[in-house]
Amino acid sequence: MAQNRHTVSGDFDLTMDELRVVARYVVRHAEDVLSVFERAVPGDPRPRAAIDAAWAFVNGANRTTRQRATSLDAHRAARSAPSEATRLAARSAGDAASAAYLHPIARASQVGHILRASASAARIGELEAGGDPAIGDALLERSRQRATPVLVDVLRRYPPATGGGSRVARLMSTLDHSLRQAADRPPGHTASSHTGTRGRDGKS
Protein backbone atom coordinates (compact mmCIF):
# COMPACT_ATOMS: atom_id res chain seq x y z
CA MET A 1 0.00 0.00 0.00
CA ALA A 2 1.34 3.47 -0.86
CA GLN A 3 2.39 5.39 2.23
CA ASN A 4 0.24 8.38 1.25
CA ARG A 5 -2.81 6.19 1.87
CA HIS A 6 -1.41 4.40 4.88
CA THR A 7 -3.32 4.46 8.15
CA VAL A 8 -1.46 4.25 11.45
CA SER A 9 -3.47 2.40 14.08
CA GLY A 10 -3.31 2.33 17.84
CA ASP A 11 -5.99 3.47 20.26
CA PHE A 12 -7.47 5.11 17.15
CA ASP A 13 -6.46 5.65 13.53
CA LEU A 14 -4.39 8.42 11.96
CA THR A 15 -4.05 8.71 8.21
CA MET A 16 -1.03 10.17 6.42
CA ASP A 17 -3.22 13.04 5.21
CA GLU A 18 -4.16 13.83 8.81
CA LEU A 19 -0.53 13.67 9.89
CA ARG A 20 0.33 16.12 7.13
CA VAL A 21 -2.31 18.53 8.43
CA VAL A 22 -0.79 18.28 11.90
CA ALA A 23 2.74 18.69 10.57
CA ARG A 24 1.73 21.73 8.55
CA TYR A 25 0.21 23.37 11.63
CA VAL A 26 3.32 22.72 13.70
CA VAL A 27 5.86 23.74 11.07
CA ARG A 28 4.14 27.04 10.33
CA HIS A 29 4.60 28.04 13.96
CA ALA A 30 8.15 26.73 14.06
CA GLU A 31 9.06 28.64 10.92
CA ASP A 32 7.63 31.84 12.41
CA VAL A 33 10.23 31.77 15.19
CA LEU A 34 13.19 30.16 13.44
CA SER A 35 14.86 33.54 12.97
CA VAL A 36 15.02 33.96 16.76
CA PHE A 37 17.37 30.98 16.91
CA GLU A 38 19.31 31.81 13.76
CA ARG A 39 20.03 35.37 14.87
CA ALA A 40 21.51 34.08 18.12
CA VAL A 41 23.26 30.98 16.72
CA PRO A 42 23.91 31.76 13.04
CA GLY A 43 26.29 28.85 12.49
CA ASP A 44 23.91 26.08 13.57
CA PRO A 45 21.82 24.68 10.69
CA ARG A 46 20.03 21.97 12.68
CA PRO A 47 16.67 23.65 13.35
CA ARG A 48 16.35 24.80 9.74
CA ALA A 49 17.11 21.27 8.54
CA ALA A 50 14.27 19.99 10.74
CA ILE A 51 11.87 22.53 9.29
CA ASP A 52 12.91 21.60 5.75
CA ALA A 53 12.27 17.93 6.58
CA ALA A 54 8.85 18.80 7.98
CA TRP A 55 7.86 20.71 4.84
CA ALA A 56 9.04 17.83 2.68
CA PHE A 57 6.60 15.53 4.47
CA VAL A 58 3.80 18.11 4.41
CA ASN A 59 4.20 18.50 0.67
CA GLY A 60 3.88 14.80 -0.07
CA ALA A 61 7.19 13.06 0.62
CA ASN A 62 7.13 9.82 2.57
CA ARG A 63 8.06 10.08 6.23
CA THR A 64 11.54 8.64 6.65
CA THR A 65 14.52 8.69 8.95
CA ARG A 66 15.10 12.24 7.69
CA GLN A 67 12.28 13.53 9.89
CA ARG A 68 13.43 11.50 12.89
CA ALA A 69 17.11 12.44 12.58
CA THR A 70 16.58 16.15 12.02
CA SER A 71 14.10 16.29 14.89
CA LEU A 72 16.66 14.80 17.26
CA ASP A 73 19.31 17.19 16.00
CA ALA A 74 17.06 20.22 16.50
CA HIS A 75 16.28 19.14 20.04
CA ARG A 76 19.99 18.78 20.71
CA ALA A 77 20.42 22.33 19.41
CA ALA A 78 17.71 23.44 21.84
CA ARG A 79 19.56 21.97 24.80
CA SER A 80 22.63 24.09 24.06
CA ALA A 81 20.72 27.24 23.06
CA PRO A 82 21.74 30.43 24.92
CA SER A 83 18.31 31.65 26.07
CA GLU A 84 14.74 30.57 26.71
CA ALA A 85 13.54 32.05 23.42
CA THR A 86 16.24 30.38 21.33
CA ARG A 87 15.70 27.08 23.12
CA LEU A 88 11.97 27.20 22.40
CA ALA A 89 12.57 28.12 18.76
CA ALA A 90 14.93 25.18 18.19
CA ARG A 91 12.62 22.78 20.04
CA SER A 92 9.70 23.91 17.89
CA ALA A 93 11.67 23.01 14.78
CA GLY A 94 12.30 19.57 16.23
CA ASP A 95 8.60 19.22 17.01
CA ALA A 96 7.76 20.09 13.42
CA ALA A 97 9.93 17.32 12.01
CA SER A 98 8.67 14.75 14.50
CA ALA A 99 4.99 15.56 13.84
CA ALA A 100 5.11 13.05 10.99
CA TYR A 101 5.42 10.38 13.68
CA LEU A 102 2.64 11.52 16.01
CA HIS A 103 1.52 8.39 17.89
CA PRO A 104 -2.15 7.29 17.86
CA ILE A 105 -2.21 6.60 21.59
CA ALA A 106 -4.76 8.19 23.91
CA ARG A 107 -2.39 10.04 26.21
CA ALA A 108 -2.49 13.73 27.07
CA SER A 109 1.28 13.92 26.59
CA GLN A 110 0.77 13.49 22.84
CA VAL A 111 -1.03 16.85 22.68
CA GLY A 112 2.35 18.51 23.05
CA HIS A 113 3.38 17.16 19.66
CA ILE A 114 0.43 19.03 18.14
CA LEU A 115 0.29 22.28 20.13
CA ARG A 116 3.62 22.82 21.89
CA ALA A 117 5.17 24.71 18.98
CA SER A 118 2.25 27.13 18.85
CA ALA A 119 2.46 27.69 22.61
CA SER A 120 6.22 28.14 22.30
CA ALA A 121 5.75 30.73 19.55
CA ALA A 122 3.36 32.62 21.83
CA ARG A 123 5.88 32.50 24.66
CA ILE A 124 8.67 33.70 22.39
CA GLY A 125 6.45 36.61 21.38
CA GLU A 126 5.99 37.47 25.03
CA LEU A 127 9.72 37.32 25.70
CA GLU A 128 10.49 39.47 22.67
CA ALA A 129 7.99 42.03 24.01
CA GLY A 130 9.54 42.16 27.47
CA GLY A 131 7.27 39.52 28.98
CA ASP A 132 3.94 41.05 27.92
CA PRO A 133 1.22 38.35 28.34
CA ALA A 134 -1.09 40.25 25.99
CA ILE A 135 1.25 39.35 23.14
CA GLY A 136 0.99 35.70 24.05
CA ASP A 137 -2.79 35.92 24.07
CA ALA A 138 -2.80 37.58 20.65
CA LEU A 139 -0.53 34.90 19.22
CA LEU A 140 -2.74 32.16 20.66
CA GLU A 141 -5.65 33.75 18.83
CA ARG A 142 -3.65 33.52 15.61
CA SER A 143 -3.02 29.86 16.37
CA ARG A 144 -6.73 29.29 16.89
CA GLN A 145 -7.42 30.84 13.50
CA ARG A 146 -4.83 28.58 11.88
CA ALA A 147 -6.38 25.41 13.26
CA THR A 148 -8.41 23.61 10.59
CA PRO A 149 -11.34 21.30 11.36
CA VAL A 150 -9.12 18.32 10.50
CA LEU A 151 -6.48 19.49 12.98
CA VAL A 152 -9.09 19.90 15.72
CA ASP A 153 -10.62 16.51 14.93
CA VAL A 154 -7.22 14.87 15.39
CA LEU A 155 -6.62 16.84 18.59
CA ARG A 156 -9.89 15.67 20.10
CA ARG A 157 -8.87 12.03 19.79
CA TYR A 158 -6.44 12.71 22.63
CA PRO A 159 -7.23 13.55 26.25
CA PRO A 160 -6.97 17.29 27.05
CA ALA A 161 -3.58 18.71 27.85
CA THR A 162 -2.96 19.13 31.55
CA GLY A 163 -1.69 22.47 32.75
CA GLY A 164 1.91 22.53 33.94
CA GLY A 165 4.16 24.82 35.86
CA SER A 166 5.81 26.48 32.89
CA ARG A 167 4.34 29.35 30.93
CA VAL A 168 4.49 27.28 27.73
CA ALA A 169 2.50 24.49 29.38
CA ARG A 170 -0.15 26.96 30.53
CA LEU A 171 -0.38 28.55 27.09
CA MET A 172 -0.70 25.14 25.50
CA SER A 173 -3.47 24.13 27.90
CA THR A 174 -5.33 27.36 27.14
CA LEU A 175 -5.08 26.78 23.40
CA ASP A 176 -6.10 23.15 23.74
CA HIS A 177 -9.19 24.08 25.75
CA SER A 178 -10.24 26.82 23.34
CA LEU A 179 -9.91 24.60 20.26
CA ARG A 180 -11.98 21.84 21.84
CA GLN A 181 -14.56 24.34 23.06
CA ALA A 182 -14.87 25.92 19.62
CA ALA A 183 -15.45 22.48 18.08
CA ASP A 184 -18.48 22.02 20.34
CA ARG A 185 -20.13 25.22 19.10
CA PRO A 186 -22.84 25.23 16.42
CA PRO A 187 -21.75 25.48 12.76
CA GLY A 188 -20.53 28.94 11.85
CA HIS A 189 -18.62 29.41 15.10
CA THR A 190 -15.62 27.17 14.46
CA ALA A 191 -12.21 27.88 13.03
CA SER A 192 -11.61 28.37 9.34
CA SER A 193 -12.71 25.46 7.18
CA HIS A 194 -9.51 25.55 5.10
CA THR A 195 -7.94 22.09 5.20
CA GLY A 196 -5.11 22.31 2.67
CA THR A 197 -1.75 20.85 3.55
CA ARG A 198 0.46 22.67 1.12
CA GLY A 199 3.07 25.26 1.97
CA ARG A 200 6.22 26.84 0.58
CA ASP A 201 6.42 25.65 -3.03
CA GLY A 202 3.09 23.87 -2.73
CA LYS A 203 0.58 26.67 -2.34
CA SER A 204 -2.15 26.48 0.27
PDB file of all heavy atoms in Angstrom, residues 46-76:
ATOM      1  N   ARG A  46      20.875  23.112  12.316  1.00  0.00           N
ATOM      2  CA  ARG A  46      20.030  21.970  12.675  1.00  0.00           C
ATOM      3  C   ARG A  46      18.531  22.289  12.742  1.00  0.00           C
ATOM      4  O   ARG A  46      17.726  21.519  12.186  1.00  0.00           O
ATOM      5  CB  ARG A  46      20.523  21.352  13.988  1.00  0.00           C
ATOM      6  CG  ARG A  46      21.861  20.652  13.860  1.00  0.00           C
ATOM      7  CD  ARG A  46      22.375  20.165  15.202  1.00  0.00           C
ATOM      8  NE  ARG A  46      22.750  21.268  16.084  1.00  0.00           N
ATOM      9  CZ  ARG A  46      23.211  21.106  17.329  1.00  0.00           C
ATOM     10  NH1 ARG A  46      23.351  19.867  17.827  1.00  0.00           N
ATOM     11  NH2 ARG A  46      23.546  22.159  18.068  1.00  0.00           N
ATOM     12  N   PRO A  47      18.107  23.389  13.351  1.00  0.00           N
ATOM     13  CA  PRO A  47      16.667  23.655  13.354  1.00  0.00           C
ATOM     14  C   PRO A  47      16.101  23.883  11.949  1.00  0.00           C
ATOM     15  O   PRO A  47      15.006  23.404  11.630  1.00  0.00           O
ATOM     16  CB  PRO A  47      16.540  24.905  14.227  1.00  0.00           C
ATOM     17  CG  PRO A  47      17.720  24.815  15.163  1.00  0.00           C
ATOM     18  CD  PRO A  47      18.821  24.281  14.296  1.00  0.00           C
ATOM     19  N   ARG A  48      16.834  24.593  11.101  1.00  0.00           N
ATOM     20  CA  ARG A  48      16.346  24.805   9.742  1.00  0.00           C
ATOM     21  C   ARG A  48      16.233  23.478   8.983  1.00  0.00           C
ATOM     22  O   ARG A  48      15.289  23.262   8.217  1.00  0.00           O
ATOM     23  CB  ARG A  48      17.251  25.772   8.978  1.00  0.00           C
ATOM     24  CG  ARG A  48      16.779  26.029   7.539  1.00  0.00           C
ATOM     25  CD  ARG A  48      17.548  27.132   6.882  1.00  0.00           C
ATOM     26  NE  ARG A  48      17.243  28.433   7.468  1.00  0.00           N
ATOM     27  CZ  ARG A  48      16.186  29.178   7.146  1.00  0.00           C
ATOM     28  NH1 ARG A  48      15.314  28.740   6.239  1.00  0.00           N
ATOM     29  NH2 ARG A  48      16.000  30.355   7.726  1.00  0.00           N
ATOM     30  N   ALA A  49      17.181  22.577   9.206  1.00  0.00           N
ATOM     31  CA  ALA A  49      17.107  21.272   8.542  1.00  0.00           C
ATOM     32  C   ALA A  49      15.859  20.513   8.979  1.00  0.00           C
ATOM     33  O   ALA A  49      15.228  19.819   8.172  1.00  0.00           O
ATOM     34  CB  ALA A  49      18.365  20.461   8.863  1.00  0.00           C
ATOM     35  N   ALA A  50      15.477  20.645  10.244  1.00  0.00           N
ATOM     36  CA  ALA A  50      14.271  19.985  10.735  1.00  0.00           C
ATOM     37  C   ALA A  50      13.024  20.579  10.096  1.00  0.00           C
ATOM     38  O   ALA A  50      12.087  19.857   9.725  1.00  0.00           O
ATOM     39  CB  ALA A  50      14.202  20.103  12.254  1.00  0.00           C
ATOM     40  N   ILE A  51      13.007  21.882   9.940  1.00  0.00           N
ATOM     41  CA  ILE A  51      11.866  22.533   9.292  1.00  0.00           C
ATOM     42  C   ILE A  51      11.781  22.117   7.830  1.00  0.00           C
ATOM     43  O   ILE A  51      10.691  21.846   7.307  1.00  0.00           O
ATOM     44  CB  ILE A  51      11.969  24.062   9.463  1.00  0.00           C
ATOM     45  CG1 ILE A  51      11.571  24.425  10.906  1.00  0.00           C
ATOM     46  CG2 ILE A  51      11.093  24.796   8.452  1.00  0.00           C
ATOM     47  CD1 ILE A  51      11.711  25.885  11.240  1.00  0.00           C
ATOM     48  N   ASP A  52      12.911  22.050   7.154  1.00  0.00           N
ATOM     49  CA  ASP A  52      12.907  21.597   5.754  1.00  0.00           C
ATOM     50  C   ASP A  52      12.370  20.164   5.646  1.00  0.00           C
ATOM     51  O   ASP A  52      11.609  19.834   4.722  1.00  0.00           O
ATOM     52  CB  ASP A  52      14.325  21.654   5.179  1.00  0.00           C
ATOM     53  CG  ASP A  52      14.807  23.078   4.943  1.00  0.00           C
ATOM     54  OD1 ASP A  52      13.973  24.006   4.935  1.00  0.00           O
ATOM     55  OD2 ASP A  52      16.032  23.258   4.777  1.00  0.00           O
ATOM     56  N   ALA A  53      12.760  19.308   6.592  1.00  0.00           N
ATOM     57  CA  ALA A  53      12.268  17.930   6.580  1.00  0.00           C
ATOM     58  C   ALA A  53      10.765  17.879   6.827  1.00  0.00           C
ATOM     59  O   ALA A  53      10.044  17.064   6.227  1.00  0.00           O
ATOM     60  CB  ALA A  53      13.007  17.107   7.637  1.00  0.00           C
ATOM     61  N   ALA A  54      10.281  18.747   7.711  1.00  0.00           N
ATOM     62  CA  ALA A  54       8.846  18.796   7.979  1.00  0.00           C
ATOM     63  C   ALA A  54       8.074  19.220   6.742  1.00  0.00           C
ATOM     64  O   ALA A  54       7.047  18.609   6.389  1.00  0.00           O
ATOM     65  CB  ALA A  54       8.567  19.761   9.135  1.00  0.00           C
ATOM     66  N   TRP A  55       8.553  20.256   6.055  1.00  0.00           N
ATOM     67  CA  TRP A  55       7.861  20.711   4.840  1.00  0.00           C
ATOM     68  C   TRP A  55       7.885  19.643   3.756  1.00  0.00           C
ATOM     69  O   TRP A  55       6.920  19.493   2.995  1.00  0.00           O
ATOM     70  CB  TRP A  55       8.487  22.001   4.318  1.00  0.00           C
ATOM     71  CG  TRP A  55       7.969  23.246   4.983  1.00  0.00           C
ATOM     72  CD1 TRP A  55       8.695  24.162   5.696  1.00  0.00           C
ATOM     73  CD2 TRP A  55       6.622  23.723   4.994  1.00  0.00           C
ATOM     74  NE1 TRP A  55       7.869  25.159   6.155  1.00  0.00           N
ATOM     75  CE2 TRP A  55       6.600  24.925   5.723  1.00  0.00           C
ATOM     76  CE3 TRP A  55       5.433  23.248   4.445  1.00  0.00           C
ATOM     77  CZ2 TRP A  55       5.435  25.661   5.939  1.00  0.00           C
ATOM     78  CZ3 TRP A  55       4.261  23.974   4.652  1.00  0.00           C
ATOM     79  CH2 TRP A  55       4.276  25.170   5.389  1.00  0.00           C
ATOM     80  N   ALA A  56       8.976  18.900   3.680  1.00  0.00           N
ATOM     81  CA  ALA A  56       9.042  17.829   2.678  1.00  0.00           C
ATOM     82  C   ALA A  56       7.913  16.826   2.910  1.00  0.00           C
ATOM     83  O   ALA A  56       7.237  16.397   1.962  1.00  0.00           O
ATOM     84  CB  ALA A  56      10.398  17.139   2.733  1.00  0.00           C
ATOM     85  N   PHE A  57       7.694  16.447   4.154  1.00  0.00           N
ATOM     86  CA  PHE A  57       6.599  15.527   4.473  1.00  0.00           C
ATOM     87  C   PHE A  57       5.239  16.166   4.199  1.00  0.00           C
ATOM     88  O   PHE A  57       4.363  15.552   3.581  1.00  0.00           O
ATOM     89  CB  PHE A  57       6.699  15.088   5.939  1.00  0.00           C
ATOM     90  CG  PHE A  57       5.519  14.274   6.389  1.00  0.00           C
ATOM     91  CD1 PHE A  57       5.321  12.982   5.918  1.00  0.00           C
ATOM     92  CD2 PHE A  57       4.591  14.801   7.283  1.00  0.00           C
ATOM     93  CE1 PHE A  57       4.219  12.229   6.326  1.00  0.00           C
ATOM     94  CE2 PHE A  57       3.501  14.061   7.695  1.00  0.00           C
ATOM     95  CZ  PHE A  57       3.308  12.772   7.216  1.00  0.00           C
ATOM     96  N   VAL A  58       5.070  17.404   4.639  1.00  0.00           N
ATOM     97  CA  VAL A  58       3.798  18.105   4.414  1.00  0.00           C
ATOM     98  C   VAL A  58       3.449  18.137   2.932  1.00  0.00           C
ATOM     99  O   VAL A  58       2.296  17.931   2.534  1.00  0.00           O
ATOM    100  CB  VAL A  58       3.872  19.542   4.975  1.00  0.00           C
ATOM    101  CG1 VAL A  58       2.670  20.370   4.506  1.00  0.00           C
ATOM    102  CG2 VAL A  58       3.926  19.519   6.495  1.00  0.00           C
ATOM    103  N   ASN A  59       4.443  18.337   2.103  1.00  0.00           N
ATOM    104  CA  ASN A  59       4.196  18.498   0.670  1.00  0.00           C
ATOM    105  C   ASN A  59       4.220  17.184  -0.101  1.00  0.00           C
ATOM    106  O   ASN A  59       4.282  17.189  -1.326  1.00  0.00           O
ATOM    107  CB  ASN A  59       5.210  19.494   0.086  1.00  0.00           C
ATOM    108  CG  ASN A  59       4.878  20.919   0.497  1.00  0.00           C
ATOM    109  OD1 ASN A  59       3.723  21.282   0.661  1.00  0.00           O
ATOM    110  ND2 ASN A  59       5.906  21.731   0.681  1.00  0.00           N
ATOM    111  N   GLY A  60       4.140  16.064   0.605  1.00  0.00           N
ATOM    112  CA  GLY A  60       3.881  14.800  -0.068  1.00  0.00           C
ATOM    113  C   GLY A  60       4.954  13.740   0.008  1.00  0.00           C
ATOM    114  O   GLY A  60       4.716  12.600  -0.396  1.00  0.00           O
ATOM    115  N   ALA A  61       6.135  14.079   0.508  1.00  0.00           N
ATOM    116  CA  ALA A  61       7.188  13.064   0.617  1.00  0.00           C
ATOM    117  C   ALA A  61       6.819  12.045   1.691  1.00  0.00           C
ATOM    118  O   ALA A  61       6.104  12.359   2.649  1.00  0.00           O
ATOM    119  CB  ALA A  61       8.524  13.718   0.959  1.00  0.00           C
ATOM    120  N   ASN A  62       7.315  10.828   1.536  1.00  0.00           N
ATOM    121  CA  ASN A  62       7.125   9.824   2.575  1.00  0.00           C
ATOM    122  C   ASN A  62       7.847  10.248   3.847  1.00  0.00           C
ATOM    123  O   ASN A  62       8.875  10.926   3.804  1.00  0.00           O
ATOM    124  CB  ASN A  62       7.675   8.473   2.123  1.00  0.00           C
ATOM    125  CG  ASN A  62       6.817   7.831   1.036  1.00  0.00           C
ATOM    126  OD1 ASN A  62       5.653   8.193   0.851  1.00  0.00           O
ATOM    127  ND2 ASN A  62       7.392   6.888   0.323  1.00  0.00           N
ATOM    128  N   ARG A  63       7.325   9.843   4.982  1.00  0.00           N
ATOM    129  CA  ARG A  63       8.058  10.077   6.226  1.00  0.00           C
ATOM    130  C   ARG A  63       9.173   9.031   6.310  1.00  0.00           C
ATOM    131  O   ARG A  63       8.968   7.846   6.037  1.00  0.00           O
ATOM    132  CB  ARG A  63       7.126  10.014   7.433  1.00  0.00           C
ATOM    133  CG  ARG A  63       6.418   8.697   7.650  1.00  0.00           C
ATOM    134  CD  ARG A  63       5.517   8.755   8.872  1.00  0.00           C
ATOM    135  NE  ARG A  63       5.045   7.421   9.246  1.00  0.00           N
ATOM    136  CZ  ARG A  63       4.358   7.158  10.351  1.00  0.00           C
ATOM    137  NH1 ARG A  63       4.048   8.140  11.181  1.00  0.00           N
ATOM    138  NH2 ARG A  63       3.964   5.932  10.625  1.00  0.00           N
ATOM    139  N   THR A  64      10.352   9.490   6.652  1.00  0.00           N
ATOM    140  CA  THR A  64      11.536   8.635   6.647  1.00  0.00           C
ATOM    141  C   THR A  64      12.401   8.955   7.855  1.00  0.00           C
ATOM    142  O   THR A  64      12.021   9.753   8.723  1.00  0.00           O
ATOM    143  CB  THR A  64      12.366   8.861   5.369  1.00  0.00           C
ATOM    144  OG1 THR A  64      12.899  10.205   5.407  1.00  0.00           O
ATOM    145  CG2 THR A  64      11.536   8.677   4.105  1.00  0.00           C
ATOM    146  N   THR A  65      13.579   8.370   7.882  1.00  0.00           N
ATOM    147  CA  THR A  65      14.522   8.686   8.953  1.00  0.00           C
ATOM    148  C   THR A  65      14.965  10.149   8.891  1.00  0.00           C
ATOM    149  O   THR A  65      15.493  10.667   9.878  1.00  0.00           O
ATOM    150  CB  THR A  65      15.766   7.789   8.871  1.00  0.00           C
ATOM    151  OG1 THR A  65      16.347   7.903   7.563  1.00  0.00           O
ATOM    152  CG2 THR A  65      15.403   6.333   9.143  1.00  0.00           C
ATOM    153  N   ARG A  66      14.738  10.820   7.769  1.00  0.00           N
ATOM    154  CA  ARG A  66      15.103  12.241   7.686  1.00  0.00           C
ATOM    155  C   ARG A  66      14.350  13.039   8.741  1.00  0.00           C
ATOM    156  O   ARG A  66      14.941  13.906   9.417  1.00  0.00           O
ATOM    157  CB  ARG A  66      14.791  12.786   6.289  1.00  0.00           C
ATOM    158  CG  ARG A  66      15.099  14.273   6.143  1.00  0.00           C
ATOM    159  CD  ARG A  66      14.673  14.811   4.792  1.00  0.00           C
ATOM    160  NE  ARG A  66      14.935  16.246   4.678  1.00  0.00           N
ATOM    161  CZ  ARG A  66      14.507  17.011   3.675  1.00  0.00           C
ATOM    162  NH1 ARG A  66      13.817  16.467   2.666  1.00  0.00           N
ATOM    163  NH2 ARG A  66      14.779  18.301   3.660  1.00  0.00           N
ATOM    164  N   GLN A  67      13.053  12.794   8.893  1.00  0.00           N
ATOM    165  CA  GLN A  67      12.277  13.533   9.892  1.00  0.00           C
ATOM    166  C   GLN A  67      12.744  13.190  11.308  1.00  0.00           C
ATOM    167  O   GLN A  67      12.893  14.068  12.157  1.00  0.00           O
ATOM    168  CB  GLN A  67      10.780  13.248   9.737  1.00  0.00           C
ATOM    169  CG  GLN A  67      10.116  13.973   8.583  1.00  0.00           C
ATOM    170  CD  GLN A  67      10.403  13.330   7.239  1.00  0.00           C
ATOM    171  OE1 GLN A  67      10.530  12.101   7.128  1.00  0.00           O
ATOM    172  NE2 GLN A  67      10.512  14.140   6.191  1.00  0.00           N
ATOM    173  N   ARG A  68      12.980  11.913  11.556  1.00  0.00           N
ATOM    174  CA  ARG A  68      13.430  11.503  12.889  1.00  0.00           C
ATOM    175  C   ARG A  68      14.794  12.103  13.231  1.00  0.00           C
ATOM    176  O   ARG A  68      15.005  12.644  14.319  1.00  0.00           O
ATOM    177  CB  ARG A  68      13.507   9.978  12.976  1.00  0.00           C
ATOM    178  CG  ARG A  68      12.157   9.269  12.952  1.00  0.00           C
ATOM    179  CD  ARG A  68      12.374   7.781  13.193  1.00  0.00           C
ATOM    180  NE  ARG A  68      11.160   6.991  13.100  1.00  0.00           N
ATOM    181  CZ  ARG A  68      10.283   6.816  14.081  1.00  0.00           C
ATOM    182  NH1 ARG A  68      10.477   7.429  15.240  1.00  0.00           N
ATOM    183  NH2 ARG A  68       9.216   6.053  13.905  1.00  0.00           N
ATOM    184  N   ALA A  69      15.739  11.997  12.302  1.00  0.00           N
ATOM    185  CA  ALA A  69      17.109  12.436  12.577  1.00  0.00           C
ATOM    186  C   ALA A  69      17.186  13.949  12.759  1.00  0.00           C
ATOM    187  O   ALA A  69      17.850  14.437  13.686  1.00  0.00           O
ATOM    188  CB  ALA A  69      18.037  11.993  11.450  1.00  0.00           C
ATOM    189  N   THR A  70      16.508  14.694  11.890  1.00  0.00           N
ATOM    190  CA  THR A  70      16.576  16.149  12.016  1.00  0.00           C
ATOM    191  C   THR A  70      15.837  16.637  13.256  1.00  0.00           C
ATOM    192  O   THR A  70      16.228  17.642  13.857  1.00  0.00           O
ATOM    193  CB  THR A  70      16.008  16.839  10.761  1.00  0.00           C
ATOM    194  OG1 THR A  70      14.660  16.405  10.531  1.00  0.00           O
ATOM    195  CG2 THR A  70      16.864  16.554   9.540  1.00  0.00           C
ATOM    196  N   SER A  71      14.791  15.924  13.653  1.00  0.00           N
ATOM    197  CA  SER A  71      14.104  16.287  14.894  1.00  0.00           C
ATOM    198  C   SER A  71      15.033  16.135  16.087  1.00  0.00           C
ATOM    199  O   SER A  71      15.145  17.031  16.941  1.00  0.00           O
ATOM    200  CB  SER A  71      12.858  15.421  15.085  1.00  0.00           C
ATOM    201  OG  SER A  71      12.261  15.684  16.341  1.00  0.00           O
ATOM    202  N   LEU A  72      15.714  15.011  16.160  1.00  0.00           N
ATOM    203  CA  LEU A  72      16.657  14.797  17.262  1.00  0.00           C
ATOM    204  C   LEU A  72      17.759  15.848  17.262  1.00  0.00           C
ATOM    205  O   LEU A  72      18.145  16.372  18.323  1.00  0.00           O
ATOM    206  CB  LEU A  72      17.258  13.399  17.155  1.00  0.00           C
ATOM    207  CG  LEU A  72      16.308  12.233  17.470  1.00  0.00           C
ATOM    208  CD1 LEU A  72      16.979  10.901  17.122  1.00  0.00           C
ATOM    209  CD2 LEU A  72      15.901  12.252  18.940  1.00  0.00           C
ATOM    210  N   ASP A  73      18.254  16.184  16.089  1.00  0.00           N
ATOM    211  CA  ASP A  73      19.315  17.186  15.998  1.00  0.00           C
ATOM    212  C   ASP A  73      18.824  18.560  16.474  1.00  0.00           C
ATOM    213  O   ASP A  73      19.552  19.286  17.161  1.00  0.00           O
ATOM    214  CB  ASP A  73      19.817  17.297  14.558  1.00  0.00           C
ATOM    215  CG  ASP A  73      20.717  16.133  14.158  1.00  0.00           C
ATOM    216  OD1 ASP A  73      21.179  15.400  15.064  1.00  0.00           O
ATOM    217  OD2 ASP A  73      20.949  15.961  12.944  1.00  0.00           O
ATOM    218  N   ALA A  74      17.605  18.924  16.082  1.00  0.00           N
ATOM    219  CA  ALA A  74      17.064  20.219  16.504  1.00  0.00           C
ATOM    220  C   ALA A  74      16.863  20.265  18.013  1.00  0.00           C
ATOM    221  O   ALA A  74      17.102  21.294  18.659  1.00  0.00           O
ATOM    222  CB  ALA A  74      15.754  20.504  15.779  1.00  0.00           C
ATOM    223  N   HIS A  75      16.436  19.162  18.590  1.00  0.00           N
ATOM    224  CA  HIS A  75      16.276  19.135  20.043  1.00  0.00           C
ATOM    225  C   HIS A  75      17.637  19.191  20.752  1.00  0.00           C
ATOM    226  O   HIS A  75      17.744  19.778  21.841  1.00  0.00           O
ATOM    227  CB  HIS A  75      15.484  17.897  20.462  1.00  0.00           C
ATOM    228  CG  HIS A  75      14.007  18.047  20.239  1.00  0.00           C
ATOM    229  ND1 HIS A  75      13.355  17.481  19.169  1.00  0.00           N
ATOM    230  CD2 HIS A  75      13.063  18.717  20.935  1.00  0.00           C
ATOM    231  CE1 HIS A  75      12.068  17.796  19.227  1.00  0.00           C
ATOM    232  NE2 HIS A  75      11.870  18.542  20.293  1.00  0.00           N
ATOM    233  N   ARG A  76      18.651  18.627  20.141  1.00  0.00           N
ATOM    234  CA  ARG A  76      19.994  18.779  20.707  1.00  0.00           C
ATOM    235  C   ARG A  76      20.435  20.250  20.637  1.00  0.00           C
ATOM    236  O   ARG A  76      21.069  20.767  21.568  1.00  0.00           O
ATOM    237  CB  ARG A  76      20.993  17.893  19.952  1.00  0.00           C
ATOM    238  CG  ARG A  76      20.786  16.402  20.188  1.00  0.00           C
ATOM    239  CD  ARG A  76      21.903  15.584  19.551  1.00  0.00           C
ATOM    240  NE  ARG A  76      21.634  14.156  19.652  1.00  0.00           N
ATOM    241  CZ  ARG A  76      21.186  13.398  18.649  1.00  0.00           C
ATOM    242  NH1 ARG A  76      20.985  13.940  17.449  1.00  0.00           N
ATOM    243  NH2 ARG A  76      20.956  12.107  18.836  1.00  0.00           N
TER     244      ARG A  76
END
